[in-house]
Amino acid sequence: MPFSDFHGNPDVVLRLREMLAHDRFPHAVIFTGARGAGKYTLAQMVAKAMNCLNRPEPGGLFTAEPSDELLDFCGKCSNCLRIAQADDLESRCAEAVEARDALRETDKRETRILVQTFPDVLVIPPDPPQMMIKVDQVRHVIHSIYYRPSEGRHKVYIFTDSAFMKEAANALLKILEEPPEFATIFLLAENASSLLPTIRSRCVTLHLAPLPLAEIERDLSHRPDWNAKQRQLVARLSGGAVGRARSFDLNAYLAARNDALTVLKTAIDANDHSNLFKATESYRAGAEGKQKTDALIAALYGLLEDILFLRSNTPEMLRNVDIEPELRKLAQSASFEWITTAVDRISEVQSGMRRNLLRSLSLDALALALEN
Ligand SMILES: [Zn+2]
């Protein structure tokens, strides 16, 4: 799994490899890009290249390709393999959360979610239930970052989200003011503007741009269970993010979109919201409630945006291409003002959900958001 396995953004990968080869890697790097653009994958690759035990050295005996001048990683040595255990971040985080849930109440409160599969690489995900980086997590970084690497050559810290509690951001700033030479901090953000300007100014920012649709569709050719039309739909729904496209759950999406369409039609056709609540009744109860509600709201947001694209005569931006006629009908029956207001309000509900407000509360907020 060398750098050549990274899909897209060759200029960013080249720059990283050059910095690695010249041993001039910055102490703090911000990767920006949409969810699934490859920010975490790339940070993991750099962590491996920094600590690989038999990395192909630049300028070796057989340097036929220019890329051979650049540093890589083997993906097979024990360091690479141990770091790779954290490649599947979602599973590692779920395990950590489960382990914390099993603790006694007092210990639970003091335990923060961290992922570490190799002593010199630490992954810091947002801590549930608020899903933010907390000061105790940053303190954990402060306690370890000034010690030299124990088994590798270079320490790597990966903050996988840019939502920092205020105190946590200030603590991070302290580290960035005086980083040790043997450590690199990665900050992953959908938008750099979500980080404090004082943090941004101490980091090198690299952007992972979305890939062209055709390229994503080509990449999806290894999904024989999808036909060409489905691949086209997934490519558009993933917004050019190859990671999102590869792991896209099309059936779950279509189910959520179906409900979202019902909600939308109810809201546009009548002021009576009883149908809306009928459609979302099953969302309130059960353990999967939150996930389902999240998916519904995301689908609803996407549909409203699509309707907005149709209203503003930019149909080429449309993502739900398979139901274009239906969306056109909806676009004609709602006013432009109503649609833009609904998009704004749904976006507010969505960020409320992210902060883990009560599900039912958010569903009521949803109904209010769509009020004419
Ligand atoms: Zn290796």
Side-chain angles (χ1 to χ4, degrees):
M1 259 275 293
F3 275 110
S4 55
D5 284 357
F6 189 79
H7 204 102
N9 289 287
D11 48 332
V12 174
V13 178
L14 182 69
R15 181 139 177 238
L16 290 170
R17 296 182 68 189
E18 276 170 355
M19 293 191 295
L20 280 168
H22 297 124
D23 218 0
R24 275 203 308 256
F25 208 87
H27 295 303
V29 176
I30 299 172
F31 283 152
T32 58
R35 188 161 55 84
K39 304 184 291 290
Y40 181 69
T41 304
L42 202 50
Q44 280 282 94
M45 284 181 164
V46 173
K48 289 170 197 167
M50 283 170 163
N51 291 296
C52 177
L53 291 171
N54 37 24
R55 56 183 183 186
E57 288 294 335
L61 205 52
F62 307 101
T63 51
E65 299 277 329
S67 65
D68 288 350
E69 298 286 347
L70 298 166
L71 211 125
D72 216 327
F73 58 97
C74 77
K76 296 184 187 100
C77 71
S78 65
N79 285 5
C80 280
L81 288 175
R82 278 191 289 168
I83 296 169
Q85 282 171 8
D87 282 353
D88 182 358
L89 183 62
E90 217 171 301
S91 301
R92 294 298 87 75
C93 285
E95 286 164 12
V97 172
E98 205 173 308
R100 180 168 73 177
D101 285 346
L103 294 174
R104 286 182 312 152
E105 213 47 52
T106 43
D107 296 333
K108 213 184 275 183
R109 269 199 297 276
E110 285 163 17
T111 306
R112 292 283 163 260
I113 301 301
L114 296 161
V115 174
Q116 186 157 43
T117 59
F118 178 70
D120 297 315
V121 179
L122 182 71
V123 181
I124 307 103
D127 195 82
Q130 299 89 340
M131 296 314 276
M132 295 190 83
I133 309 277
K134 295 177 184 160
V135 69
D136 285 345
Q137 290 173 294
V138 183
R139 281 200 190 116
H140 195 95
V141 174
I142 295 177
H143 288 151
S144 72
I145 197 168
Y146 294 102
Y147 293 101
R148 295 199 155 270
S150 58
E151 292 188 45
R153 276 183 303 265
H154 199 86
K155 293 187 123 169
V156 177
Y157 294 83
I158 307 172
F159 288 91
T160 66
D161 201 287
S162 60
F164 279 78
M165 301 275 231
K166 197 166 172 241
E167 239 186 302
N170 289 334
L172 173 68
L173 201 53
K174 292 240 165 63
I175 311 176
L176 293 178
E177 278 164 3
E178 234 178 318
E181 56 175 273
F182 44 78
T184 291
I185 294 172
F186 285 100
L187 299 169
L188 314 185
E190 286 185 32
N191 298 300
S193 59
S194 56
L195 294 160
L196 290 176
T198 40
I199 289 180
R200 288 202 311 263
S201 68
R202 288 177 169 83
C203 302
V204 171
T205 301
L206 296 168
H207 180 63
L208 296 178
L211 266 54
L213 288 179
E215 213 168 303
I216 304 259
E217 280 177 50
R218 249 198 320 278
D219 184 76
L220 288 177
S221 58
H222 65 270
R223 287 289 301 253
D225 51 325
W226 288 341
N227 62 33
K229 274 226 160 89
Q230 287 169 317
R231 284 199 286 270
Q232 187 195 25
L233 177 64
V234 170
R236 284 178 174 259
L237 290 168
S238 316
V242 77
R244 246 177 108 185
R246 281 180 189 172
S247 59
F248 201 89
D249 187 342
L250 189 58
N251 289 335
Y253 173 74
L254 292 177
R257 190 181 71 179
N258 227 10
D259 287 345
L261 271 173
T262 309
V263 168
L264 208 51
K265 280 182 197 154
T266 313
I268 289 176
D269 289 348
N271 278 323
D272 172 21
H273 288 112
S274 55
N275 268 342
L276 187 157
F277 286 114
K278 237 174 266 161
T280 56
E281 211 157 10
S282 68
Y283 283 73
R284 289 164 184 260
E288 288 163 16
K290 171 154 168 45
Q291 213 176 356
K292 270 182 84 178
T293 311
D294 281 343
L296 170 79
I297 291 178
L300 194 55
Y301 189 75
L303 289 175
L304 280 166
E305 277 191 323
D306 274 359
I307 291 174
L308 210 51
F309 291 142
L310 292 173
R311 280 298 291 245
S312 52
N313 284 324
T314 48
E316 67 280 3
M317 305 281 286
L318 199 71
R319 281 156 308 185
N320 292 283
V321 275
D322 55 325
I323 51 165
E324 184 175 341
E326 206 166 336
L327 292 175
R328 278 194 186 279
K329 237 187 269 169
L330 285 168
Q332 278 156 14
S333 41
S335 74
F336 191 79
E337 200 195 345
W338 182 84
I339 301 166
T340 47
T341 311
V343 168
D344 286 348
R345 291 198 188 149
I346 297 286
S347 159
E348 280 165 29
V349 173
Q350 218 170 8
S351 53
M353 293 286 297
R354 224 170 279 141
R355 274 181 259 114
N356 215 46
L357 300 179
L358 285 173
R359 277 195 299 288
S360 53
L361 188 84
S362 286
L363 277 176
D364 292 342
L366 181 64
L368 272 178
L370 296 169
E371 204 82 52
N372 276 307

